[in-house]
Amino acid sequence: MPGCPVVVRYADDLVACCHSRQQAEQVKAQLAAWLAPRGLVFNEDKTKIVHLTEGFDFLGVNVRRYRNGKLLIKPGTAAVRRLRSRLAAEMRALRGSNAAAVLAALNPIIRGWAAYYRGVVSSKIFGELDDYVWKLTWRWAKRTHSGKPKRWVAHRYFGRFDKFRNDRWVFGNRAGADERGSVPHLVKFAWTPIVRHQMVTGTASPDDPGLADYWATRRQRVKPPLDSYNLRLLTRQGGRCPICRDHLLSPDQPSPREWERWWLSVARRAIAADYLAYQGGRGTPDGNRTRLIHTSCGRELQARKRRMPAPEPAKPSGLA
């Protein structure tokens, strides 16, 4: 209804959007009265009433109306500061490690953070964070080979490792190149395209079994932050793990850490088609085929293979 406040809640965090300061104070008093019988109170250190032109932070983003009248939602300053501190701490802990360890540590963090903030105004922040990560990796590379010239260090760790991007300053691990010449490399924040968040219809919940079709359609419509190859794999599999048949991607990843855990929990592996057929999956006649699976399913797959008895040696036929 026009003139009514709007309350947005996630877990124990909420924000109430009101039309005046007086209305905001009334809403706060009403909410406090509702919480009191339940033994709950507001954290006054985190609770404040501000004008929209001042902006406020909520769930890691900053919501603010600027002088030109535009309302922009950007990554919060505190969230960016926490990320910078974490990246710096990771690189300090990686002193003495190799490039493969750097990629294993940083790629899930970058992908998870970029996936969470790709739905807001993040292009400028993504570019600034890419510059910051480059400085961290350059400093790490020079420290690792302190006796080598800069040109040697640059050639060893940096190059145009992503063939689809004209960027010759991508950090990579040349020693880990595969037979096709592909070099494992560090992804960049700016490589994640900005995709505006699509509002959930009404009060739809993923836990409602009657809305299974709605959430299935939403999963197909909202593209996850994957490259074209992994996106094709996900589409080909119907968004499900071929071993447990559960969804690989939940409808909404609630935080950068959740996105990071998702990247770590999903593995890309070649699975034998006959094993899928044996497990009741859709076996294909092309033998081994790369699929996206849960990491836990991959571990279970390897354990089952180890438990399978070795084939018996062929017995001589006795024919001369």
Side-chain angles (χ1 to χ4, degrees):
M1 294 178 60
C4 291
V6 176
V7 176
V8 180
R9 182 187 67 86
Y10 180 83
D12 59 347
D13 295 324
L14 65 88
V15 57
C17 302
C18 305
H19 294 270
S20 65
R21 186 176 186 88
Q22 181 182 2
Q23 187 183 55
E25 292 174 349
Q26 292 174 354
V27 169
K28 180 182 177 182
Q30 292 173 358
L31 290 174
W34 184 84
L35 292 172
R38 295 162 176 81
L40 302 173
V41 295
F42 281 119
N43 185 342
E44 294 298 336
D45 294 334
K46 297 182 179 180
T47 305
K48 58 183 179 179
I49 299 176
V50 297
H51 196 272
L52 196 55
T53 54
E54 299 177 42
F56 62 90
D57 290 340
F58 183 62
L59 300 180
V61 299
N62 179 263
V63 183
R64 180 182 175 189
R65 187 183 298 280
Y66 290 82
R67 293 181 179 178
N68 57 8
K70 286 187 177 182
L71 176 67
L72 299 181
I73 304 177
K74 300 181 179 181
T77 303
V80 176
R81 189 183 303 115
R82 286 195 300 269
L83 176 66
R84 287 174 176 260
S85 299
R86 185 183 178 192
L87 291 171
E90 290 284 350
M91 293 304 293
R92 283 195 297 270
L94 288 167
R95 290 175 181 174
S97 302
N98 56 19
V102 175
L103 299 182
L106 296 192
N107 268 335
I109 299 174
I110 295 173
R111 282 175 167 148
W113 205 89
Y116 179 76
Y117 287 101
R118 67 177 181 145
V120 298
V121 184
S122 305
S123 297
K124 183 179 178 181
I125 297 295
F126 282 179
E128 293 174 354
L129 289 173
D130 284 332
D131 292 341
Y132 182 71
V133 172
W134 183 89
K135 292 177 182 177
L136 290 177
T137 52
W138 176 251
R139 194 177 303 135
W140 174 90
K142 288 198 304 179
R143 183 186 182 90
T144 303
H145 303 280
S146 56
K148 297 291 185 179
K150 293 181 180 180
R151 188 180 297 273
W152 185 94
V153 173
H155 179 266
R156 180 179 177 88
Y157 291 107
F158 295 90
R160 190 171 176 264
F161 299 136
D162 191 316
K163 299 178 181 178
F164 300 100
R165 302 181 185 277
N166 188 23
D167 188 347
R168 63 186 184 90
W169 285 103
V170 178
F171 180 86
N173 177 25
R174 292 183 185 272
D178 59 17
E179 62 276 4
R180 294 177 298 178
S182 298
V183 177
H185 56 273
L186 194 66
V187 298
K188 293 194 174 186
F189 290 92
W191 292 356
T192 301
I194 303 298
V195 180
R196 295 292 173 245
H197 173 72
Q198 296 186 12
M199 297 291 291
V200 175
T201 303
T203 58
S205 170
D207 300 325
D208 187 349
L211 297 175
D213 292 339
Y214 167 78
W215 289 106
T217 304
R218 182 179 174 87
R219 285 189 184 96
Q220 296 173 0
R221 187 173 63 248
V222 181
K223 291 185 178 180
L226 299 172
D227 55 60
S228 57
Y229 178 70
N230 285 305
L231 192 59
R232 284 197 301 270
L233 291 178
L234 190 68
T235 304
R236 185 188 302 157
Q237 298 171 199
R240 294 179 181 271
C241 174
I243 297 178
C244 67
R245 305 305 301 165
D246 198 6
H247 286 288
L248 287 166
L249 189 67
S250 63
D252 293 291
Q253 303 294 344
S255 69
R257 292 291 183 131
E258 289 296 325
W259 272 112
E260 182 181 335
R261 280 193 285 268
W262 183 82
W263 280 106
L264 291 172
S265 68
V266 174
R268 191 172 69 192
R269 184 168 300 175
I271 310 173
D274 57 353
Y275 178 84
L276 293 181
Y278 176 78
Q279 291 297 320
R282 296 176 296 174
T284 54
D286 58 350
N288 288 355
R289 187 176 181 180
T290 301
R291 293 171 174 84
L292 290 175
I293 63 173
H294 292 116
T295 304
S296 57
C297 293
R299 288 195 294 264
E300 183 179 355
L301 171 63
Q302 295 299 322
R304 289 184 180 181
K305 286 184 176 180
R306 287 193 295 267
R307 290 196 297 267
M308 294 176 71
E312 295 182 2
K315 296 181 179 179
S317 60
L319 297 177

